[in-house]
PDB file of all heavy atoms in Angstrom:
ATOM      1  N   MET B 511     153.496 103.726  87.268  1.00  0.00           N
ATOM      2  CA  MET B 511     153.223 104.516  88.465  1.00  0.00           C
ATOM      3  C   MET B 511     152.569 105.843  88.067  1.00  0.00           C
ATOM      4  O   MET B 511     151.588 106.275  88.658  1.00  0.00           O
ATOM      5  CB  MET B 511     154.544 104.759  89.191  1.00  0.00           C
ATOM      6  CG  MET B 511     154.422 104.986  90.663  1.00  0.00           C
ATOM      7  SD  MET B 511     156.020 105.397  91.360  1.00  0.00           S
ATOM      8  CE  MET B 511     156.886 103.842  91.286  1.00  0.00           C
ATOM      9  N   PHE B 512     153.125 106.449  87.040  1.00  0.00           N
ATOM     10  CA  PHE B 512     152.599 107.714  86.525  1.00  0.00           C
ATOM     11  C   PHE B 512     151.129 107.562  86.130  1.00  0.00           C
ATOM     12  O   PHE B 512     150.282 108.367  86.501  1.00  0.00           O
ATOM     13  CB  PHE B 512     153.446 108.121  85.308  1.00  0.00           C
ATOM     14  CG  PHE B 512     152.998 109.374  84.621  1.00  0.00           C
ATOM     15  CD1 PHE B 512     153.377 110.614  85.086  1.00  0.00           C
ATOM     16  CD2 PHE B 512     152.194 109.309  83.484  1.00  0.00           C
ATOM     17  CE1 PHE B 512     152.966 111.775  84.445  1.00  0.00           C
ATOM     18  CE2 PHE B 512     151.770 110.463  82.840  1.00  0.00           C
ATOM     19  CZ  PHE B 512     152.173 111.700  83.331  1.00  0.00           C
ATOM     20  N   VAL B 513     150.841 106.477  85.403  1.00  0.00           N
ATOM     21  CA  VAL B 513     149.469 106.224  84.972  1.00  0.00           C
ATOM     22  C   VAL B 513     148.549 106.071  86.178  1.00  0.00           C
ATOM     23  O   VAL B 513     147.448 106.629  86.214  1.00  0.00           O
ATOM     24  CB  VAL B 513     149.417 104.952  84.080  1.00  0.00           C
ATOM     25  CG1 VAL B 513     147.979 104.502  83.865  1.00  0.00           C
ATOM     26  CG2 VAL B 513     150.105 105.205  82.765  1.00  0.00           C
ATOM     27  N   SER B 514     149.013 105.340  87.174  1.00  0.00           N
ATOM     28  CA  SER B 514     148.173 105.106  88.347  1.00  0.00           C
ATOM     29  C   SER B 514     147.880 106.398  89.088  1.00  0.00           C
ATOM     30  O   SER B 514     146.749 106.650  89.492  1.00  0.00           O
ATOM     31  CB  SER B 514     148.848 104.107  89.286  1.00  0.00           C
ATOM     32  OG  SER B 514     148.951 102.862  88.643  1.00  0.00           O
ATOM     33  N   VAL B 515     148.908 107.222  89.254  1.00  0.00           N
ATOM     34  CA  VAL B 515     148.695 108.501  89.949  1.00  0.00           C
ATOM     35  C   VAL B 515     147.710 109.355  89.154  1.00  0.00           C
ATOM     36  O   VAL B 515     146.757 109.928  89.706  1.00  0.00           O
ATOM     37  CB  VAL B 515     150.038 109.246  90.141  1.00  0.00           C
ATOM     38  CG1 VAL B 515     149.798 110.646  90.657  1.00  0.00           C
ATOM     39  CG2 VAL B 515     150.931 108.477  91.087  1.00  0.00           C
ATOM     40  N   ALA B 516     147.897 109.387  87.840  1.00  0.00           N
ATOM     41  CA  ALA B 516     146.988 110.167  86.988  1.00  0.00           C
ATOM     42  C   ALA B 516     145.561 109.637  87.099  1.00  0.00           C
ATOM     43  O   ALA B 516     144.602 110.414  87.130  1.00  0.00           O
ATOM     44  CB  ALA B 516     147.460 110.121  85.539  1.00  0.00           C
ATOM     45  N   ALA B 517     145.421 108.311  87.174  1.00  0.00           N
ATOM     46  CA  ALA B 517     144.078 107.729  87.273  1.00  0.00           C
ATOM     47  C   ALA B 517     143.404 108.146  88.567  1.00  0.00           C
ATOM     48  O   ALA B 517     142.216 108.483  88.585  1.00  0.00           O
ATOM     49  CB  ALA B 517     144.162 106.204  87.185  1.00  0.00           C
ATOM     50  N   ILE B 518     144.179 108.151  89.650  1.00  0.00           N
ATOM     51  CA  ILE B 518     143.599 108.529  90.945  1.00  0.00           C
ATOM     52  C   ILE B 518     143.180 110.000  90.907  1.00  0.00           C
ATOM     53  O   ILE B 518     142.080 110.362  91.335  1.00  0.00           O
ATOM     54  CB  ILE B 518     144.606 108.261  92.085  1.00  0.00           C
ATOM     55  CG1 ILE B 518     144.805 106.743  92.221  1.00  0.00           C
ATOM     56  CG2 ILE B 518     144.116 108.864  93.390  1.00  0.00           C
ATOM     57  CD1 ILE B 518     145.991 106.352  93.048  1.00  0.00           C
ATOM     58  N   LEU B 519     144.041 110.860  90.353  1.00  0.00           N
ATOM     59  CA  LEU B 519     143.707 112.289  90.266  1.00  0.00           C
ATOM     60  C   LEU B 519     142.465 112.505  89.401  1.00  0.00           C
ATOM     61  O   LEU B 519     141.588 113.301  89.721  1.00  0.00           O
ATOM     62  CB  LEU B 519     144.884 113.073  89.689  1.00  0.00           C
ATOM     63  CG  LEU B 519     146.105 113.170  90.597  1.00  0.00           C
ATOM     64  CD1 LEU B 519     147.217 113.959  89.906  1.00  0.00           C
ATOM     65  CD2 LEU B 519     145.730 113.855  91.916  1.00  0.00           C
ATOM     66  N   THR B 520     142.399 111.768  88.280  1.00  0.00           N
ATOM     67  CA  THR B 520     141.256 111.942  87.380  1.00  0.00           C
ATOM     68  C   THR B 520     139.970 111.526  88.070  1.00  0.00           C
ATOM     69  O   THR B 520     138.945 112.199  87.956  1.00  0.00           O
ATOM     70  CB  THR B 520     141.460 111.113  86.099  1.00  0.00           C
ATOM     71  OG1 THR B 520     142.773 111.362  85.611  1.00  0.00           O
ATOM     72  CG2 THR B 520     140.454 111.482  85.037  1.00  0.00           C
ATOM     73  N   LEU B 521     140.033 110.405  88.789  1.00  0.00           N
ATOM     74  CA  LEU B 521     138.827 110.002  89.516  1.00  0.00           C
ATOM     75  C   LEU B 521     138.481 111.063  90.561  1.00  0.00           C
ATOM     76  O   LEU B 521     137.317 111.431  90.720  1.00  0.00           O
ATOM     77  CB  LEU B 521     139.026 108.636  90.189  1.00  0.00           C
ATOM     78  CG  LEU B 521     137.798 108.151  90.949  1.00  0.00           C
ATOM     79  CD1 LEU B 521     136.686 107.752  89.988  1.00  0.00           C
ATOM     80  CD2 LEU B 521     138.119 106.994  91.873  1.00  0.00           C
ATOM     81  N   GLY B 522     139.519 111.587  91.230  1.00  0.00           N
ATOM     82  CA  GLY B 522     139.298 112.622  92.234  1.00  0.00           C
ATOM     83  C   GLY B 522     138.572 113.824  91.643  1.00  0.00           C
ATOM     84  O   GLY B 522     137.668 114.397  92.263  1.00  0.00           O
ATOM     85  N   ALA B 523     138.949 114.196  90.419  1.00  0.00           N
ATOM     86  CA  ALA B 523     138.347 115.368  89.783  1.00  0.00           C
ATOM     87  C   ALA B 523     136.851 115.173  89.546  1.00  0.00           C
ATOM     88  O   ALA B 523     136.103 116.148  89.455  1.00  0.00           O
ATOM     89  CB  ALA B 523     139.044 115.659  88.453  1.00  0.00           C
ATOM     90  N   GLN B 524     136.417 113.916  89.474  1.00  0.00           N
ATOM     91  CA  GLN B 524     134.992 113.675  89.231  1.00  0.00           C
ATOM     92  C   GLN B 524     134.134 114.080  90.430  1.00  0.00           C
ATOM     93  O   GLN B 524     132.940 114.305  90.288  1.00  0.00           O
ATOM     94  CB  GLN B 524     134.723 112.209  88.870  1.00  0.00           C
ATOM     95  CG  GLN B 524     135.538 111.694  87.683  1.00  0.00           C
ATOM     96  CD  GLN B 524     135.637 112.689  86.551  1.00  0.00           C
ATOM     97  OE1 GLN B 524     134.639 113.177  86.032  1.00  0.00           O
ATOM     98  NE2 GLN B 524     136.873 113.049  86.191  1.00  0.00           N
ATOM     99  N   PHE B 525     134.792 114.173  91.598  1.00  0.00           N
ATOM    100  CA  PHE B 525     134.010 114.596  92.768  1.00  0.00           C
ATOM    101  C   PHE B 525     133.629 116.071  92.668  1.00  0.00           C
ATOM    102  O   PHE B 525     132.637 116.497  93.235  1.00  0.00           O
ATOM    103  CB  PHE B 525     134.779 114.288  94.064  1.00  0.00           C
ATOM    104  CG  PHE B 525     134.793 112.818  94.348  1.00  0.00           C
ATOM    105  CD1 PHE B 525     135.833 112.011  93.918  1.00  0.00           C
ATOM    106  CD2 PHE B 525     133.725 112.221  95.009  1.00  0.00           C
ATOM    107  CE1 PHE B 525     135.827 110.641  94.151  1.00  0.00           C
ATOM    108  CE2 PHE B 525     133.701 110.855  95.241  1.00  0.00           C
ATOM    109  CZ  PHE B 525     134.759 110.065  94.816  1.00  0.00           C
ATOM    110  N   ILE B 526     134.428 116.842  91.941  1.00  0.00           N
ATOM    111  CA  ILE B 526     134.048 118.238  91.681  1.00  0.00           C
ATOM    112  C   ILE B 526     132.733 118.247  90.903  1.00  0.00           C
ATOM    113  O   ILE B 526     131.819 119.009  91.200  1.00  0.00           O
ATOM    114  CB  ILE B 526     135.148 118.948  90.851  1.00  0.00           C
ATOM    115  CG1 ILE B 526     136.460 118.925  91.621  1.00  0.00           C
ATOM    116  CG2 ILE B 526     134.722 120.369  90.497  1.00  0.00           C
ATOM    117  CD1 ILE B 526     137.631 119.487  90.835  1.00  0.00           C
ATOM    118  N   PHE B 527     132.656 117.347  89.925  1.00  0.00           N
ATOM    119  CA  PHE B 527     131.423 117.247  89.140  1.00  0.00           C
ATOM    120  C   PHE B 527     130.254 116.823  90.026  1.00  0.00           C
ATOM    121  O   PHE B 527     129.178 117.416  89.965  1.00  0.00           O
ATOM    122  CB  PHE B 527     131.617 116.240  88.011  1.00  0.00           C
ATOM    123  CG  PHE B 527     130.336 115.867  87.317  1.00  0.00           C
ATOM    124  CD1 PHE B 527     129.749 116.729  86.401  1.00  0.00           C
ATOM    125  CD2 PHE B 527     129.693 114.669  87.602  1.00  0.00           C
ATOM    126  CE1 PHE B 527     128.557 116.390  85.778  1.00  0.00           C
ATOM    127  CE2 PHE B 527     128.511 114.328  86.979  1.00  0.00           C
ATOM    128  CZ  PHE B 527     127.935 115.198  86.070  1.00  0.00           C
ATOM    129  N   LEU B 528     130.501 115.807  90.855  1.00  0.00           N
ATOM    130  CA  LEU B 528     129.410 115.321  91.714  1.00  0.00           C
ATOM    131  C   LEU B 528     128.893 116.435  92.607  1.00  0.00           C
ATOM    132  O   LEU B 528     127.690 116.624  92.756  1.00  0.00           O
ATOM    133  CB  LEU B 528     129.905 114.155  92.575  1.00  0.00           C
ATOM    134  CG  LEU B 528     130.037 112.822  91.850  1.00  0.00           C
ATOM    135  CD1 LEU B 528     130.454 111.745  92.832  1.00  0.00           C
ATOM    136  CD2 LEU B 528     128.717 112.444  91.189  1.00  0.00           C
ATOM    137  N   PHE B 529     129.822 117.188  93.197  1.00  0.00           N
ATOM    138  CA  PHE B 529     129.419 118.297  94.046  1.00  0.00           C
ATOM    139  C   PHE B 529     128.602 119.300  93.242  1.00  0.00           C
ATOM    140  O   PHE B 529     127.497 119.693  93.638  1.00  0.00           O
ATOM    141  CB  PHE B 529     130.659 118.977  94.647  1.00  0.00           C
ATOM    142  CG  PHE B 529     130.353 120.297  95.300  1.00  0.00           C
ATOM    143  CD1 PHE B 529     129.764 120.325  96.556  1.00  0.00           C
ATOM    144  CD2 PHE B 529     130.615 121.494  94.649  1.00  0.00           C
ATOM    145  CE1 PHE B 529     129.451 121.543  97.151  1.00  0.00           C
ATOM    146  CE2 PHE B 529     130.307 122.700  95.227  1.00  0.00           C
ATOM    147  CZ  PHE B 529     129.718 122.727  96.492  1.00  0.00           C
TER     148      PHE B 529
END
Side-chain angles (χ1 to χ4, degrees):
Chain B
M511 206 185 288
F512 177 83
V513 168
S514 295
V515 171
I518 292 166
L519 291 179
T520 312
L521 181 71
Q524 305 319 305
F525 287 93
I526 300 175
F527 169 77
L528 284 183
F529 168 77

